Amino acid sequence: MEKKTIENIDVYGKKVLLRVDFNVPLKNGVITDDNRIREELPTIKFLLNNGAAVIIMSHLGRPDGEVKMEYSLKPTAEKLGELLGIEVKFAKDCIGNETRKMANSLKNGEVLMLENLRFYAEEEENDKQFCEKLARIADVYVNDAFGTAHRKHASTYGVAKLLPNAVGFLIEKELKNIVDVINNPKRPLVGILGGAKVSDKITIVESLLNKVDVLLVGGAMAYTFLAANNYHMGKSRVETEMIGEAKRLIELADKKGVQLLLPVDHIVTNDFNNPTKIKNTVNANINSDYLGVDIGKQTVKLYKKAIKHAKTVIWNGPMGVFENDKFANGTKAVAKAMAKAKATTIVGGGDSAAAVIKFGFAKKMTHISTGGGASLKLFEGKVLPAVDVIENK
Ligand code: AMP
């Protein structure tokens, strides 16, 4: 069912409460990357041009329900004002008297930004009264925060139920690019999963086995799968308690006719923090003095081949400890192979998106999602609560 977008609702003369994701990186109060604010400009401009008064709300970091000024959204309000070329008013909280007055007197074409939602514990608790107070300052609710769309918070879920609502352009784009492809992929569909923990990704592996033709596994999570196949993993990060689950998934892949590819060699080092010895293993085993930090050269070849033959590729999670240049080759090679592939290529948010941007392949991808957790849920074919709650067209 298609969801209402801001093009399907009347916002003229209305106060629009817009949930955005301005969770930007800050260093000493200075924004080091303003992409999240820039990406939101089309939605904000559309609302302003159509005669709305826009009240913006967001979270920033994890202040855990307390007022911690290092997580103030003030710098983002200033940046937004600069980018829009108009004054962006700033309220020092979300639901106080003064803030209500500021919202009340806001005119069409004006913008008011609220302070960090997560200064209230009620936000993540989806507290009823908090939702009602937020709803009271506006006539219409718009959600454009894809990064938190898998969360049932007050600002992403509860408040949506209390006002006429729609999604903004960013969420609309994510849904079009991910949901449409996942529901009806050109095959072969190749999934690539990496990252640190199998325990985090068990349900994802299982759901993906129902969708993909080939699943490539890299990152530390591969070691638990290899341990399940009785390979030696040395000092690598193996989740012993998950070996049974990994075995079950390997069997499940087999039953479903999904090709589950695991690394056939690795880049290993003697010490994670002080890597004085680095080598490529000769096979999938890692000897007891070493730990795995990236996929090896033969694995890169194998994975590149699978990506080359794909018609659709979806990727989440780095192939190694890509933050260290010495261990970034596998992740970079996967990104490059996707960039070169004649396939629809979708990169989940978080680390894989950061890697693709860092290595300069962003323009070559069909879609790079802005939300890590949310895009994974869509890869799995799940419905996001914050999207589900929005009215259908
Ligand atoms: P995740 O949040 O589960 O996607 O994991 C991302 C993290 O996994 C990144 O910070 C990587 O450095 C880390 N990672 C990837 N491969 C390995 C590995 N072989 N050993 C330890 N950490 C890894």
Side-chain angles (χ1 to χ4, degrees):
M1 203 72 93
E2 278 203 56
K3 294 293 170 182
K4 275 190 183 166
T5 77
I6 44 178
E7 288 175 307
N8 307 128
I9 54 169
D10 180 19
V11 297
Y12 186 82
K14 305 262 169 71
K15 294 204 165 67
V16 175
L17 186 60
L18 172 66
R19 174 56 155 107
V20 301
D21 180 0
F22 282 180
N23 185 25
V24 294
L26 283 168
K27 213 171 198 174
N28 303 322
V30 179
I31 299 168
T32 54
D33 180 353
D34 62 10
N35 240 324
R36 289 197 166 163
I37 303 175
R38 286 179 189 276
E39 283 176 344
E40 197 50 45
L41 294 176
T43 294
I44 298 172
K45 283 185 181 162
F46 179 89
L47 293 171
L48 293 174
N49 291 340
N50 283 279
V54 182
I55 304 166
I56 298 179
M57 54 179 179
S58 176
H59 73 286
L60 176 67
R62 295 185 181 277
D64 294 328
E66 284 173 37
V67 177
K68 292 184 185 155
M69 289 323 281
E70 66 266 36
Y71 296 111
S72 172
L73 278 166
K74 192 140 199 267
T76 68
E78 283 162 8
K79 185 52 141 192
L80 178 63
E82 211 179 287
L83 294 170
L84 286 173
I86 58 171
E87 184 204 0
V88 170
K89 298 181 167 61
F90 188 71
K92 65 180 191 335
D93 60 23
C94 296
I95 50 168
N97 278 341
E98 211 177 301
T99 300
R100 241 196 359 249
K101 277 186 206 147
M102 284 173 92
N104 245 332
S105 57
L106 200 69
K107 298 191 186 68
N108 300 357
E110 290 185 340
V111 182
L112 169 67
M113 171 120 204
L114 307 183
E115 183 53 286
N116 196 339
L117 287 157
R118 291 194 187 161
F119 284 178
Y120 298 82
E122 292 93 327
E123 158 67 356
E124 296 197 38
E125 291 161 1
N126 188 26
D127 178 82
K128 194 165 168 261
Q129 280 184 347
F130 186 64
C131 293
E132 283 166 2
K133 284 183 183 162
L134 283 175
R136 223 171 283 155
I137 60 173
D139 310 304
V140 175
Y141 168 82
V142 172
N143 191 356
D144 213 16
F146 183 71
T148 48
H150 57 313
R151 308 269 185 222
K152 251 186 181 174
H153 293 167
S155 68
T156 62
Y157 188 78
V159 72
K161 292 192 157 182
L162 305 175
L163 292 170
N165 56 48
V167 295
F169 291 137
L170 268 187
I171 289 197
E172 184 190 13
K173 184 171 146 201
E174 294 276 3
L175 295 176
K176 265 208 179 102
N177 277 298
I178 305 181
V179 178
D180 292 0
V181 171
I182 293 292
N183 286 345
N184 200 5
K186 283 188 227 133
R187 292 185 182 276
L189 167 60
V190 173
I192 311 169
L193 276 183
K197 282 191 187 163
V198 178
S199 44
D200 282 352
K201 299 207 170 141
I202 280 289
T203 57
I204 295 150
V205 174
E206 188 150 5
S207 322
L208 284 187
L209 290 178
N210 290 314
K211 299 201 176 307
V212 301
D213 302 294
V214 183
L215 186 61
L216 313 178
V217 178
M221 64 183 284
Y223 309 137
T224 305
F225 281 94
L226 287 169
N229 279 346
N230 297 320
Y231 286 98
H232 300 293
M233 288 292 107
K235 297 193 289 180
S236 307
R237 189 170 176 166
V238 172
E239 290 170 80
T240 325
E241 68 290 353
M242 298 308 290
I243 289 179
E245 272 294 288
K247 268 196 183 129
R248 183 179 69 79
L249 292 172
I250 291 167
E251 282 162 18
L252 189 66
D254 195 40
K255 231 187 259 168
K256 291 190 179 287
V258 174
Q259 217 186 336
L260 176 64
L261 297 184
L262 299 170
V264 293
D265 64 344
H266 315 274
I267 302 296
V268 295
T269 178
N270 57 328
D271 190 305
F272 192 86
N273 296 312
N274 183 25
T276 48
K277 293 184 199 158
I278 298 173
K279 57 182 192 180
N280 200 122
T281 59
V282 290
N283 55 35
N285 288 303
I286 296 175
N287 86 34
S288 54
D289 297 332
Y290 286 83
L291 68 143
V293 282
D294 195 6
I295 54 174
K297 280 191 186 135
Q298 293 309 318
T299 310
V300 165
K301 263 194 202 159
L302 185 71
Y303 287 11
K304 268 165 83 172
K305 204 166 149 195
I307 294 167
K308 193 177 170 190
H309 290 115
K311 291 253 165 59
T312 309
V313 186
I314 57 177
W315 176 29
N316 182 286
M319 297 291 100
V321 187
F322 79 105
E323 296 92 338
N324 183 334
D325 285 345
K326 292 189 183 114
F327 313 138
N329 184 56
T331 303
K332 194 172 179 177
V334 160
K336 189 171 176 186
M338 281 177 72
K340 277 170 71 178
K342 290 188 191 74
T344 302
T345 48
I346 305 176
V347 183
D351 284 328
S352 351
V356 165
I357 294 163
K358 178 177 163 186
F359 300 135
F361 299 117
K363 287 211 174 87
K364 295 275 170 64
M365 302 296 176
T366 309
H367 179 64
I368 301 177
S369 177
T370 54
S375 63
L376 265 179
K377 289 267 184 274
L378 292 184
F379 283 1
E380 285 185 79
K382 294 204 169 132
V383 176
L384 306 173
V387 173
D388 195 35
V389 74
I390 299 294
E391 291 157 26
N392 294 320
K393 263 187 197 169

